[in-house]
Amino acid sequence: MRNTRLVRPGSRSALLGVTATVGLSVAAVTLPAAADAAPRHPVRPTIVLEHGAFADAASWDGVVARLQRAGYPVVSTANPLRGPATDAAHLRSVLDHIDGPVVLVGHSYGGTVISQAAAGLEGKVKALVYIAAFLPDTGESSFGLTNKFPGSTLGQAIESINYTLPDGGQGADVYIKPEKFRGQFAADVPADKARLMAAGQRPIAAAALQEKSTQAAWKTIPSWSLVTTEDRNIPVVAQRFMSARANARTTTIDASHAVSVSRPEAVTRLIEQAARAVR
């Protein structure tokens, strides 16, 4: 226990005690002002990742780990893969619960979704990053853009499974055949990992690939694009066309469509470039 010594009022020691107390009070008042004068670090944007067809949120795992180590808050969303309008509404609900600026990243069909979801959110979404992705204009569909250019072999690798809708109608989900998954989607991913990806792939509604986009946020939000030259889903010439049309800052890489899995360091690097440019 600390000892306390009594001091007679009016003594010199008492006066010194009062002076010391006043000095401490002044210091207590002035310290916050000094703290306020210190330079503030810019807020890091939240990185929101939207996967595409035939993948799931785990396809971003290598990217998420690197971004988190770099100090970025990250959200890897589960894309319903039902159609641009439905999926964009779902993504917007995710964005509504995030405070501060956002960098929105889309892979493959996820590019179609972020292009629609970010429209009108220029104050919040500071950058769009497209990873082996569609950058559709208003009135364009993912299916239409794929077939507009030569190079895709997806049509020979997929199968369709019908299901019953709540209203009694019929819908169809599209998968990549497991035996063709690695060659079509993830040729540069180790075979054991590709088998796991094939087993866990998320199907996309066939109608989603034909539904036309109604918004193109890349017209008003700065954009970045990673073009994959060994892509068998979205032809490389299509990726280059869409990236140039959007005036996106474009990087080219020799990688398969599953570039976020096979080359997460390159994907992370491009996302960080976008994040730093808009801070």
Side-chain angles (χ1 to χ4, degrees):
M1 180 182 296
R2 188 177 60 182
N3 292 326
T4 302
R5 183 167 60 90
L6 295 177
V7 180
R8 287 185 295 107
S11 69
R12 183 171 179 273
S13 296
L15 180 60
L16 288 174
V18 171
T19 304
T21 302
V22 172
L24 286 173
S25 300
V26 171
V29 172
T30 56
L31 278 175
D36 287 342
R40 296 181 181 273
H41 296 290
V43 175
R44 289 198 169 190
T46 298
I47 312 299
V48 178
L49 306 167
E50 181 85 343
H51 68 80
F54 320 119
D56 62 11
S59 63
W60 293 112
D61 282 356
V63 176
V64 171
R66 286 166 172 79
L67 288 170
Q68 288 179 336
R69 284 199 296 269
Y72 288 95
V74 185
V75 176
S76 183
T77 63
N79 188 347
L81 301 174
R82 299 297 89 188
T86 298
D87 300 337
H90 176 270
L91 180 55
R92 284 180 76 106
S93 71
V94 174
L95 298 176
D96 287 343
H97 289 84
I98 297 174
D99 293 328
V102 167
V103 171
L104 197 50
V105 185
H107 172 246
S108 189
Y109 165 80
T112 297
V113 178
I114 69 171
S115 295
Q116 192 150 319
L121 298 181
E122 293 83 1
K124 184 181 192 72
V125 179
K126 301 302 182 181
L128 301 171
V129 183
Y130 295 88
I131 306 298
F134 291 108
L135 292 78
D137 202 349
T138 302
E140 293 179 336
S141 69
S142 300
F143 184 78
L145 285 165
T146 298
N147 291 332
K148 186 175 182 177
F149 302 91
S152 176
T153 58
L154 184 60
Q156 293 78 50
I158 58 175
E159 60 182 346
S160 179
I161 298 177
N162 294 331
Y163 61 92
T164 302
L165 295 166
D167 63 2
Q170 291 291 305
D173 270 352
V174 178
Y175 297 80
I176 297 178
K177 298 172 184 177
E179 67 274 15
K180 294 190 174 183
F181 186 91
R182 187 182 183 217
Q184 177 62 42
F185 193 86
D188 54 356
V189 173
D192 56 347
K193 176 64 175 176
R195 281 193 295 271
L196 292 175
M197 293 171 64
Q201 65 175 297
R202 293 278 304 281
I204 187 168
L209 297 173
Q210 300 183 56
E211 182 181 325
K212 294 180 179 180
S213 295
T214 59
Q215 303 282 349
W218 48 260
K219 292 182 178 180
T220 56
I221 298 175
S223 299
W224 280 255
S225 179
L226 185 65
V227 171
T228 44
T229 62
E230 303 304 313
D231 201 311
R232 297 177 186 174
N233 274 30
I234 306 176
V236 63
V237 64
Q239 293 182 50
R240 285 174 171 151
F241 163 76
M242 292 183 285
S243 299
R245 180 178 63 178
N247 197 30
R249 298 161 179 82
T250 302
T251 301
T252 300
I253 186 170
D254 294 333
S256 74
H257 193 62
V259 63
S260 63
V261 178
S262 65
R263 301 289 296 277
E265 71 288 343
V267 174
T268 303
R269 189 159 52 245
L270 185 65
I271 295 170
E272 288 192 280
Q273 286 176 11
R276 287 193 296 268
V278 298
R279 282 171 62 183

